[in-house]
Amino acid sequence: MAERTASVERNTLETQIKVSVNLDGTGQLNIDTGVPFLEHMIDQVARHGLIDMDIVAKGDLHIDDHHTVEDLGITLGQAFAKAVGDKKGMTRYGHAYVPLDEALSRVVIDFSGRPGLEMNVDFTRASIGRLDTQLFWEFFQGFVNHAGVTLHIDNLKGFNAHHQAETIFKAFGRALRMALAMDERMAGMMPSTKGSL
């Protein structure tokens, strides 16, 4: 099997980001973004998705976290799109339910080539630490637009905002792991009746 790795750089007047991913890794993460709670969430994705990631982001945090969070989603999406290659033999679909105490979230993903985000989360707080909870939508929107995936995120229960976010990101990692898995019965085959994704 060919290595499913990619490195991407994105440089704007607002952010400078470098991302490397290995989709068939062991969940190792090296990250420095200046946004601590986001780093904690991406650690969940790496660990539960068994995806190795190296991420360095420098952004205009003196303004706020918006550009850094959004552009990191974009850059990660670009790296995933590059790393999956032609998608032959890939499971394609993934889903996961993850609980954490009172919170429960469901994430479903399709590496369809068609970007789409449905995110139904009513965070119980406007911020977690200093991170605005609205920025999670910006992160995932950037990811789906550039990874070319359809992503459904539903927080089904929860009153602790930290738990709500953590169940979402853990479920995202688990859903990615399922969708990215190679199916030996599909070896060399495109997981679509269209013949392309």
Side-chain angles (χ1 to χ4, degrees):
M1 184 176 73
E3 281 193 359
R4 296 191 298 170
T5 61
S7 295
V8 174
E9 286 191 39
R10 175 180 169 84
N11 293 296
T12 73
L13 295 177
E14 297 166 338
T15 61
Q16 298 80 49
I17 300 175
K18 294 180 182 179
V19 169
S20 295
V21 299
N22 176 0
L23 304 184
D24 303 299
T26 59
Q28 300 301 307
L29 174 68
N30 295 302
I31 188 166
D32 181 9
T33 67
V35 186
F37 192 76
L38 181 65
E39 293 178 6
H40 178 46
M41 292 300 97
I42 292 175
D43 190 26
Q44 304 304 323
V45 178
R47 186 73 50 90
H48 292 279
L50 293 179
I51 300 162
D52 294 343
M53 297 189 228
D54 287 293
I55 299 169
V56 177
K58 296 187 187 310
D60 51 4
L61 299 179
H62 60 286
I63 296 174
D64 71 4
D65 297 336
H66 189 286
H67 298 139
T68 301
V69 174
E70 179 182 22
D71 287 5
L72 184 52
I74 289 170
T75 312
L76 267 176
Q78 291 170 338
F80 271 71
K82 190 174 175 183
V84 294
D86 63 12
K87 303 178 192 173
K88 286 182 179 176
M90 198 173 90
T91 301
R92 175 181 167 178
Y93 300 100
H95 62 272
Y97 285 82
V98 170
L100 175 57
D101 297 342
E102 88 299 342
L104 175 66
S105 292
R106 175 184 60 217
V107 173
V108 183
I109 194 166
D110 176 13
F111 277 80
S112 60
R114 295 183 305 278
L117 175 63
E118 288 290 331
M119 186 169 174
N120 297 296
V121 182
D122 292 319
F123 282 106
T124 57
R125 293 178 58 193
S127 63
I128 303 171
R130 70 159 205 241
L131 185 62
D132 183 343
T133 53
Q134 289 182 329
L135 295 184
F136 294 123
W137 188 91
E138 299 292 345
F139 173 85
F140 286 115
Q141 186 68 63
F143 182 86
V144 302
N145 283 345
H146 293 269
V149 300
T150 300
L151 182 64
H152 287 252
I153 299 171
D154 294 282
N155 174 240
L156 305 174
K157 298 178 181 179
F159 58 78
N160 181 300
H162 187 131
H163 292 173
Q164 288 176 293
E166 192 160 330
T167 56
I168 289 165
F169 278 85
K170 284 178 176 176
F172 180 52
R174 285 280 170 172
L176 282 170
R177 181 173 167 182
M178 180 186 289
L180 292 168
M182 300 304 287
D183 184 343
E184 62 184 26
R185 295 174 63 202
M186 288 285 293
M189 294 169 50
M190 184 64 66
S192 171
T193 55
K194 293 187 183 73
S196 67
L197 285 172

